[in-house]
Amino acid sequence: MRFNAKDLALLARRPTDCFDKEGKLKICRVVGDEKLIEPRERWCRLKGNLLFLMKNKSSEASEVVILERCWVVEFRKKTDVSIVLKFQSGEPDLYLEAASRPDCESWAVALGEANSEGLRNKIQQLRRLIMEIKEERSSDEARQFLPSSQVDSLGEPQFTSIQRTANEPKLEFSLACKDLVSATRDRKLNTFIQVSVVHPAEHILTRYSSTEIVEGTRDPLFLTGVTFPPEYPIYEETKIKLTVYDVKDKSQDTVRTSVLPDHKEPRADVGQSFLGCTTFRVGDLVKSKEQQLTLTLRTSDGGKTVGTIEVNLVKMGELEGGETDHVTTDSQDQKFLCFVPLKSCSCGFLCATRAHNTENLERMTDRQAKEECALVRECTAPEGISGKDNLPSLNAVLKNPICKLYRFPTSDNKWMRIREQMAETTLSFHVPKELINLHIKEDMRRNQELKDLGELAPHWDNMRQSVIAHCDQMLRMYQDTLAELGKHTGSSFKSSCSKGEKTLEFIPINLHLQRMHVHSPRLKDALYDVITVGAPAAHFQGFKNGGLRKLLSKFEAERRNTGYQCIYYSPENTAKAKEVLSNINHLQPLISSHADLLLNSASQHSPDSLKNSLKMLSEKTELFVHAFKDQLVRSALLALYTARPGCVLKKPAVPRSSAEEEGDAQHRDHPSQVKRQDSIPHHSEYDEEEWDRVWANVGKSLNCVIAMVDRLLERDNISNIKEGENDPSAADCKVLHTGGDWYEQLYPLVITLKDCMGEVVTRAKQSMAFVLLQELACGLPQCLMLTLRRDIVFSQALAGLVCGFIIKLHTGLHDQGFLQQLHTVGLLVQYEGLLSTYSEEAGMLEDMAVGISDLQKVMFKVIEAKSEDFLPIITGRREHYIIEVQLPAKMFELLPQEIKEGKLLRMYPVLFNVGINEQQTLAERFGDTTLQENINQENLQLLKEYYKLFTEKMPPDCLPHFQEQNDLKGLLENLHQNIQAKKRKNIEIMWLAATICRKLNGVRFTCCKSAKDRTSMSVTLEQCSILRDEHQLHKDFFIQALDCMRREGCRIENVLKNVRCRKYAFNMIQLMAFPKYYRPPEGTYGKADT
């Protein structure tokens, strides 16, 4: 373009007050993501649409940037202080870096409003503001004529609340347009309405929601309504602004799919054009006789009329007496829907649109049916399906629910109604915090046990000090993480953008309940739940060296070949050592407590109480004695003895058990083990029989207590027996029974039992702590880092499992067959993975496989809640956790006696993975898919074992009647064949596994990297497939239903929650590699952060 250089130079040197903005910025040109040169500091001056770049404030302008046909890209992270100017001409982007975040935001606003388009937007805003001022002038003038006493009494503005039923939305209305005017006569309109709210106290315009796009008509009826939740601050004085746009290109539908500042209008060149707008007061709608407003749409200058908008107030329950649904068409063949009564809709939302002349659905033509779209409604506070009794306990778990309602035609031309719900859960943070707290206690206890080992030889003592130092460092990390999580407020879910944050690495990614409630004309209402969550993985630690599956295998191989520094114990032995220590810590206080109760019963001279106390003491002591039968304790005591200072070999080795001889055979096979014996002698002056005597003394002491109690009860019952009669069992105890008080007779025996038990505990604790010392010392620091990684992955997996169990328990409370299955067999938990086996996702899959496998060690227990806190309680240790789920008294009474008595409930987790994206294509053609094949085959065996257990323990009539139509055995065989076939992207595996899970009353999970994009495609496909196969969805409506759920349903809301953008993170090239039914509709995908 032509310009006058002298005039521009003169303009650049004008005083500061002549410029819109000026200041220092670091600037460079950018091509793609690469900077051509390092950013250089420049003094920048903005005047209109001209940006002058100068070396310093007093120098000449070295460059002028014309801010036309460009846009500003502002980075959303709080730490970013840079923005990028992108030009439509294709020239390199201009990178600008400010000194601070506020300065960066200020420059972004100034540059965004600098061009002629920004000037036009300002003019439009001013015109609209003038129109609103004119509307308010009449009421303001009337206020001026009020007596001064009345004006003074008004004080602060008082707003009129809208009276609605508790837990129901404050306001709901539907929208329809008529006689819209197109800028081009021959062009058909594709319109949607943007809804904004003007708060009466602040007079600030806030964008609230949008409708769906209705194509090809001048009289669109919008199937998406507007809902204001109970907590939303809306009053009769609130104004609502409705703006109608014409979408030229659905793939550029950025107004509905992106998040812009509230005060800005969308750009005019991004795929849509402004048609008209109007405003109304909420009070006018609520108080209107017909509860309907007909408003005139006008252009931005308020001059030209471009059509009308009809706003219909929707009230819950008014039309519940209605019968069948009806449809009719107008001259443009657009479908109109009448009021739809949803009696079964427990969220209280009545699906309704504008009433028109009607015609029965049975008279619909095929052409009309194909053009019909689902009715979508949204509400925010759904109640439970099974009534209000379970609301308190569910509300403690679920939070921020979103509800969408649809209706689709069935194959016999009836309407089915579907409610889709999505809710985040408070367990996302509650479970990890409880788990970390248990880890801290367990690690503190372990560190103390290592310190209590006593005096060790210098080699072993140095090893112990090193282990304790590393463990203390890891313990502080857990404590810091718990402290950071304690500070967390706000949303109860972790977004996909935060998966790499260190402070949130224990939190599951994007954990939500996805529920579909189907109300069919001729079938019973049905619920289908899926838990969606990002694959449990340690994202912050990364996947450079693979995931847990590979890392654990490699670590164990290296530990086997450890040199002379430590003694090798197998993973089974170390797990056994942890179990023994756990049993000691659990049983010792119980035995002491029961012994005290026994003495208390004796002092009260109560025979019944004495019998009961003795029974409990005997049971716990027998468990205690049984815990030390393992040969590991004996061998560990020997190893610990050799590690004491001054231990020398004084006599030949004593005979050892066969287990120890096998150990010697292993030493001969491994030269490094022989080398280790030179510095750690395994044979010394150690009496192995001493441990047997100490251990057996506990049983003997218990027998003495039992004999004494029997003697006392016998003397109490048979008064004619001579006091001096000999009793063999009592003679063994060497106690003379000459009468006297029961307490005095039992006290010395109980003290002896406690002393014997204390000696056993001391020796066993030290020996097992020595075993754990070897495990830690052999792999520092890798051992602790692997433990941390495994804890992170397990925490994410456990949070999802607890959520799934609680939801399943609530929905199955009235199903006696399910409850019987729960305590007799256990609960099947099926995970559907969508991760590829290429690059980092292979490491994620390895993490996920180990985390899900670790869930086998989790047991559930249902207890009656004693307070209003219904959150689950977690107890136990690593590799053995018990989750106590609390239920209100009314719900607890519905459970079988076995569950009420505290029977532990087992979990059977299985994982089936099929990669579906473009990275899986690379893995199948150029990489390796062995990992996926092995995981699927291993878990198929687990699934078959569960089915075998199920058929052996459960009666054949326990499954719902409609499931008998499909043979589970046949489905399992089909699944087996598909896994063996090794077909590329065989999505049949996922469908078969999900079907088997539902038929076995299992809990369904769907996972991808962030549970946002691929998961959304899978969940919506599963929902529509269920509607087709189980509820007779009309075959011509399958694709329409699928697109509707993906475009307007809960999953696009999930995308918005995660990345603040209504676009799935796919591009066209990626989708070419996706299976056909996993591709989103046009306009719902594009570039987005993930």
Side-chain angles (χ1 to χ4, degrees), residues 3 8 68 162 178-179 213 467 471 513 520 524 580 724 743 935 937 1088:
F3 60 89
L8 288 177
E68 294 293 343
I162 302 174
K178 276 194 171 185
D179 303 324
I213 300 173
V467 168
C471 289
L513 165 68
S520 300
K524 289 183 178 180
V580 170
Y743 180 87
I935 288 174
Q937 289 172 359

Side-chain angles (χ1 to χ4, degrees), residues 581-595:
L581 286 171
S582 177
N583 289 334
I584 291 173
N585 294 325
H586 174 66
L587 292 174
Q588 185 185 13
L590 286 178
I591 294 173
S592 297
S593 175
H594 289 307

